[in-house]
Amino acid sequence: MRILILGNNYSTKVFFDLFSKNKDDIVFCDNPNCTNAVFFNDFTDIIEFCSANIIDFVLIIDNNYIIQGLGELLSSKNISVFSPDKDAALITTSKFEAKKFAYKNRIKTPKFTIAQNPKQALDYIKASTVVAIKPDIATALEGTKFIETYSYGLKIINELFQGGNERVLLEDYIEGKSFTIWTLTDGYSAKIIGVNATYGDSISLFNPDFINEETKEKIINSIVNPTINALVEKNNEYIGVLGFDCIIDRYSNIYLLSYKNFFDDHSVNYFLEAYDFSWIDVFNSIVLGDVFLKYKFNPQTLYALTIKQGDSIDFITAKTKNALEKKLIELDYELDEFYEAKKKWKN
């Protein structure tokens, strides 16, 4: 098989290395960190490359390609591509659209407003205790800021609007445990394939104890299925990997924060380690619509942790949580943040 992977992030490199292990496959990638890298000026270049090199399958990981509708363009040229359509993926590429979508479809999400000028934003901050402030596009350089004082809020709001943001999302802060539910969907149904809990930007634990089977069922019924069904009603069936960033409070209320359209840097290694099937076959099966008939998603790796230090991400597995901690000690990690995360994740 001849495969082209499009994306300029850590996950792209991981999948390139994975697919390249099969000597029967020829894999290309537009990530400069890949050994078989190719570079394109525009979509015409990509189409011509696929035709000239008889590409069998294209995996799109980059948000920018999805937003611009490259998946639809490739499909129109009879090129098999793994990517959600841009309209379906809008909930993953725009925080604003995600919040409006959740509110319209009665999916529990923190109270929010979309401010189109600094005054609207500051009025919301005045009326709230703690506010999370987010720019619109998921690929924007600015991350989420948590505002506890008016003076800090004024500084952040001015920076965002003066920096070119035409609108800003503000939502009430929910105290609780953050986590991501990862699913595969054929557009009409979805299956959970993994859960990871995050702490800050540097550490993530898979299969945390506070997300049990009962909680997963609750998430399926209250968040996952309503999302899939609402997209079907709009004729925007979402096909591919769909992540749900959520938070659970001390009363077991679960809130949707945002959506993700592919594995992120913290999760990608887990899914390659946890399952022993061929991911290229899985992706192909999703495109063909028969993935749920072929595969059972029972992870082999029970306890796993990722730690991000600078540009590197270390993936650590163990048979027990105690063994996981022991490995961190053996590898001479700074454990302060890990112990703080453990307190946060305690069931």
Side-chain angles (χ1 to χ4, degrees):
M1 179 177 287
R2 303 172 73 87
I3 304 166
L4 173 62
I5 304 176
L6 296 171
N8 191 16
N9 55 25
Y10 178 79
S11 295
T12 306
K13 177 67 164 56
V14 169
F15 271 98
F16 175 84
D17 291 342
L18 174 70
F19 295 158
S20 297
K21 290 179 181 178
N22 188 341
K23 295 182 179 179
D24 293 330
D25 294 336
I26 299 176
V27 188
F28 302 95
C29 181
D30 69 342
N31 187 323
N33 294 317
C34 298
T35 55
N36 208 11
V38 290
F39 303 99
F40 307 106
N41 293 316
D42 50 35
F43 285 2
T44 300
D45 279 359
I46 296 174
I47 297 296
E48 290 177 353
F49 179 86
C50 290
S51 177
N53 290 276
I54 319 176
I55 297 298
D56 300 297
F57 188 83
V58 179
L59 172 61
I60 298 179
I61 297 177
D62 196 305
N63 269 340
N64 292 321
Y65 287 129
I66 295 172
I67 292 170
Q68 297 176 56
L70 177 59
E72 294 93 311
L73 178 60
L74 289 167
S75 294
S76 72
K77 304 295 183 182
N78 295 318
I79 299 169
S80 182
V81 55
F82 184 83
S83 169
D85 289 350
K86 65 177 181 179
D87 290 339
L90 192 58
I91 59 172
T92 70
T93 56
S94 169
K95 294 183 178 71
F96 294 176
E97 294 301 326
K99 294 293 286 187
K100 291 190 291 184
F101 176 89
Y103 179 78
K104 180 179 179 181
N105 292 289
R106 299 183 179 181
I107 298 169
K108 186 175 285 189
T109 190
K111 179 185 174 184
F112 71 98
T113 191
I114 297 172
Q116 300 187 21
N117 58 62
K119 183 180 183 305
Q120 289 179 345
L122 293 170
D123 285 346
Y124 191 88
I125 292 172
K126 285 180 184 177
S128 305
T129 304
V130 182
V131 176
I133 300 181
K134 305 175 182 180
D136 183 13
I137 304 302
T139 54
L141 293 178
E142 307 97 333
T144 299
K145 307 292 184 184
F146 294 99
I147 307 301
E148 298 186 49
T149 65
Y150 180 82
S151 59
Y152 182 56
L154 176 64
K155 175 179 180 293
I156 297 300
I157 290 299
N158 286 335
E159 285 179 359
L160 288 173
F161 279 101
Q162 291 172 9
N165 286 278
E166 295 182 356
R167 52 184 185 168
V168 173
L169 170 68
L170 300 96
E171 69 179 17
D172 285 6
Y173 172 74
I174 302 292
E175 178 68 31
K177 300 180 178 77
S178 299
F179 63 95
T180 303
I181 289 282
W182 295 98
T183 70
L184 286 174
T185 172
D186 59 2
Y188 298 93
S189 58
K191 284 196 175 182
I192 292 177
I193 59 171
V195 184
N196 67 303
T198 57
Y199 184 81
D201 295 324
S202 60
I203 189 168
S204 188
L205 175 72
F206 292 84
N207 303 312
D209 290 339
F210 65 85
I211 304 296
N212 55 30
E213 292 305 314
E214 182 180 347
T215 304
K216 287 181 184 178
E217 190 66 25
K218 184 177 179 180
I219 294 166
I220 282 285
N221 292 330
S222 64
I223 296 177
V224 176
N225 285 345
T227 296
I228 300 300
N229 294 337
L231 290 170
V232 170
E233 288 178 8
K234 294 173 61 178
N235 293 318
N236 283 339
E237 294 85 2
Y238 187 104
I239 299 172
V241 175
L242 184 56
F244 299 78
D245 282 342
C246 302
I247 192 164
I248 183 169
D249 69 13
R250 58 181 172 175
Y251 305 108
S252 297
N253 295 309
I254 301 170
Y255 299 84
L256 173 72
L257 300 178
S258 61
Y259 297 97
K260 291 178 177 176
N261 56 31
F262 199 74
F263 305 129
D264 60 18
D265 291 353
H266 272 294
S267 66
V268 63
N269 283 303
Y270 171 78
F271 291 106
L272 301 192
E273 293 281 343
Y275 297 104
D276 63 356
F277 45 57
S278 163
W279 276 100
I280 193 67
D281 289 344
V282 171
F283 293 155
N284 260 318
S285 295
I286 292 174
V287 173
L288 296 173
D290 64 352
V291 64
F292 300 135
L293 300 176
K294 281 187 172 184
Y295 298 97
K296 293 183 179 179
F297 300 99
N298 300 315
Q300 296 178 325
T301 303
L302 292 180
Y303 297 104
L305 188 77
T306 57
I307 295 183
K308 188 173 184 179
Q309 296 182 313
D311 293 330
S312 67
I313 296 178
D314 294 322
F315 179 67
I316 303 162
T317 61
K319 292 182 179 180
T320 67
K321 284 183 292 184
N322 288 336
L324 201 63
E325 184 173 340
K326 185 177 179 180
K327 276 193 175 183
L328 291 175
I329 294 172
E330 290 173 351
L331 293 168
D332 198 27
Y333 276 104
E334 175 57 56
L335 294 180
D336 288 350
E337 190 172 28
F338 173 72
Y339 291 139
E340 290 175 9
K342 276 185 66 177
K343 293 178 184 177
K344 183 80 171 179
W345 294 330
K346 188 176 181 181
N347 195 3

